[in-house]
Amino acid sequence: LQFLYFIGGVPKMVNTNNIIVFVGAAVVTLGLLWKVGFVGSTPTTEIKDVNKQKQDVKEECEEFTNEEAIDNISDRESQQQEEITTCEEVSHTQQQESVISTDTRPPKMLLRIVTQERVFIAIPLPDSVKTFLSAAQGKLRNDRKGSKGLSLVPSDHMHVTLQFLGELKECEEATLTSSLFDLFEGMNDFRKFDLQLSTFGVFPSPRSPKVLWAGVKGDIDLLNHLQQKVAATCQSLQLCSPSSNQSFHPHITVARVKSRSSTPLVKSVVNTTCDGVVPFTVNEVHLMKSLSFSKGSVQYQTIKRYQLEALDKEDATEDVSKLI
């Protein structure tokens, strides 16, 4: 009661006994409060501990997030590095292919734009004939002044044309391929025969030459029969007119005259014989296509090969005489 009276703030009642009682009561009260847990470090410490725990959790979360972000960044960097490595490998491969493509004519030309496709049927030539004609071209090339107006035909473009057709649609080309198969494989009407180079000549005339060619001789009757059957097949498909085959003159184009300055040189070659070339056997007919590119180059492509049957020369001549 005295302690409460003192707490009540009655200063008149304060004396030594009251102070002693007050101090004792205060000590006892503080002891009880400390024991219960309301005095000392309890509230503040617990709050600090909780805050510390929250901070630790936050730091752990941040650390996990950072690690996850680092992992994601690492994954992206790895992916980017793989893409870069792949691109480098592809680039290296393309560079190698580019280097390889420059070594051969066809891959290099395939990268260009095709401006025109022309189809024709022809007899291929052996290497011995191509080599001889290439040597003849070399002699023409030695005349630097006269050869400037000449366009020499590459040896891999040399052939004997049986029928020129020009541009065809895909369906027309497919139909022609099938019809020629029936002609050569189905009828069995054609046999192997021999040809040989004869003399050089020009089209259209020696006065105004446009094409320098090498003629052929040998089994001309068999050659004419073959050409007539091929032309008749093309006419039946309405791919050429009958007038285009009225005068068949078998030849191999050697050069084209682009300037009058080359006329004297070309005239000097006309009627020169092609001596030293052995006969060659005609055992195939090719359906071919010339591809003209945007930069002026031309590439020949074989669409289909047709084999001629083997037969003795005398028997083949008898068969042709009956058909004619």
Side-chain angles (χ1 to χ4, degrees), residues 10 15 20-21 49 73 226 260 262 282 291 299 313:
V10 185
N15 53 36
I20 294 172
V21 173
D49 292 341
I73 293 173
L226 174 62
R260 292 182 179 179
S262 299
V282 177
L291 305 176
Q299 177 188 349
K313 182 177 177 180

Side-chain angles (χ1 to χ4, degrees), residues 48 58 67 199 239:
K48 290 181 179 181
K58 183 178 179 181
E67 290 179 355
T199 60
L239 299 179

Side-chain angles (χ1 to χ4, degrees), residues 180-247:
L180 290 177
F181 177 83
D182 295 336
L183 176 65
F184 289 105
E185 305 293 338
M187 295 179 61
N188 263 341
D189 192 25
F190 303 98
R191 303 293 182 263
K192 296 179 181 180
F193 57 92
D194 293 334
L195 292 177
Q196 187 176 4
L197 296 180
S198 57
T199 60
F200 289 102
V202 293
F203 289 143
S205 67
R207 290 184 179 181
S208 180
K210 298 298 181 183
V211 176
L212 174 64
W213 47 261
V216 294
K217 59 184 180 179
D219 297 328
I220 299 299
D221 290 340
L222 292 174
L223 175 60
N224 288 333
H225 171 64
L226 174 62
Q227 191 276 332
Q228 290 171 5
K229 288 295 184 179
V230 169
T233 301
C234 295
Q235 291 172 15
S236 66
L237 300 175
Q238 297 182 349
L239 299 179
C240 65
S241 62
S243 60
S244 62
N245 302 290
Q246 290 180 355
S247 58

Side-chain angles (χ1 to χ4, degrees), residues 11-49:
K12 291 182 180 180
M13 298 298 297
V14 176
N15 53 36
T16 304
N17 294 329
N18 290 336
I19 292 173
I20 294 172
V21 173
F22 170 74
V23 172
V27 172
V28 173
T29 302
L30 291 174
L32 292 173
L33 291 175
W34 181 83
K35 187 173 183 181
V36 173
F38 289 98
V39 179
S41 62
T42 304
T44 306
T45 303
E46 288 184 353
I47 292 172
K48 290 181 179 181
D49 292 341

Side-chain angles (χ1 to χ4, degrees), residues 251-308:
H251 65 279
I252 303 166
T253 302
V254 178
R256 293 179 175 87
V257 183
K258 301 297 183 180
S259 174
R260 292 182 179 179
S261 61
S262 299
T263 300
L265 175 62
V266 173
K267 286 183 177 181
S268 65
V269 181
V270 174
N271 295 327
T272 303
T273 58
C274 303
D275 296 329
V277 183
V278 298
F280 61 94
T281 300
V282 177
N283 53 18
E284 282 187 343
V285 173
H286 290 185
L287 175 61
M288 303 186 69
K289 180 188 296 183
S290 65
L291 305 176
S292 299
F293 296 88
S294 56
K295 294 186 178 181
S297 58
V298 178
Q299 177 188 349
Y300 280 14
Q301 182 182 84
T302 300
I303 302 173
K304 183 71 176 178
R305 293 179 173 87
Y306 303 97
Q307 298 290 333
L308 302 182

Side-chain angles (χ1 to χ4, degrees), residues 37-269:
F38 289 98
V39 179
S41 62
T42 304
T44 306
T45 303
E46 288 184 353
I47 292 172
K48 290 181 179 181
D49 292 341
V50 171
N51 291 336
K52 188 175 184 303
Q53 292 177 358
K54 290 181 179 181
Q55 184 66 25
D56 293 340
V57 171
K58 183 178 179 181
E59 291 177 356
E60 290 178 359
C61 292
E62 290 178 352
E63 182 178 357
F64 176 78
T65 304
N66 291 334
E67 290 179 355
E68 186 178 10
I70 291 171
D71 291 339
N72 292 335
I73 293 173
S74 178
D75 293 339
R76 287 197 299 270
E77 289 179 349
S78 299
Q79 185 177 0
Q80 291 175 356
Q81 185 63 34
E82 291 177 358
E83 293 176 354
I84 292 172
T85 303
T86 304
C87 291
E88 290 177 350
E89 292 176 353
V90 171
S91 176
H92 181 66
T93 303
Q94 291 177 346
Q95 289 177 358
Q96 289 181 337
E97 293 177 353
S98 177
V99 171
I100 295 173
S101 66
T102 58
D103 294 337
T104 56
R105 185 186 298 262
K108 184 178 180 180
M109 288 187 174
L110 291 175
L111 299 176
R112 302 172 185 174
I113 300 174
V114 178
T115 58
Q116 190 176 37
E117 296 183 6
R118 293 177 291 184
V119 178
F120 60 95
I121 304 168
I123 296 173
L125 300 177
D127 292 338
S128 59
V129 174
K130 293 179 181 180
T131 301
F132 176 85
L133 295 178
S134 295
Q137 289 177 335
K139 294 179 181 179
L140 294 174
R141 197 180 290 110
N142 290 336
D143 188 337
R144 296 183 178 181
K145 183 179 179 180
S147 62
K148 286 183 178 180
L150 290 180
S151 176
L152 301 177
V153 176
S155 60
D156 57 346
H157 289 186
M158 295 178 180
H159 59 273
V160 177
T161 303
L162 296 176
Q163 181 65 55
F164 179 80
L165 299 172
E167 295 189 38
L168 297 182
K169 298 178 182 178
E170 290 186 4
C171 59
E172 293 175 334
E173 184 179 312
T175 303
L176 176 61
T177 303
S178 177
S179 297
L180 290 177
F181 177 83
D182 295 336
L183 176 65
F184 289 105
E185 305 293 338
M187 295 179 61
N188 263 341
D189 192 25
F190 303 98
R191 303 293 182 263
K192 296 179 181 180
F193 57 92
D194 293 334
L195 292 177
Q196 187 176 4
L197 296 180
S198 57
T199 60
F200 289 102
V202 293
F203 289 143
S205 67
R207 290 184 179 181
S208 180
K210 298 298 181 183
V211 176
L212 174 64
W213 47 261
V216 294
K217 59 184 180 179
D219 297 328
I220 299 299
D221 290 340
L222 292 174
L223 175 60
N224 288 333
H225 171 64
L226 174 62
Q227 191 276 332
Q228 290 171 5
K229 288 295 184 179
V230 169
T233 301
C234 295
Q235 291 172 15
S236 66
L237 300 175
Q238 297 182 349
L239 299 179
C240 65
S241 62
S243 60
S244 62
N245 302 290
Q246 290 180 355
S247 58
F248 172 63
H249 192 290
H251 65 279
I252 303 166
T253 302
V254 178
R256 293 179 175 87
V257 183
K258 301 297 183 180
S259 174
R260 292 182 179 179
S261 61
S262 299
T263 300
L265 175 62
V266 173
K267 286 183 177 181
S268 65
V269 181

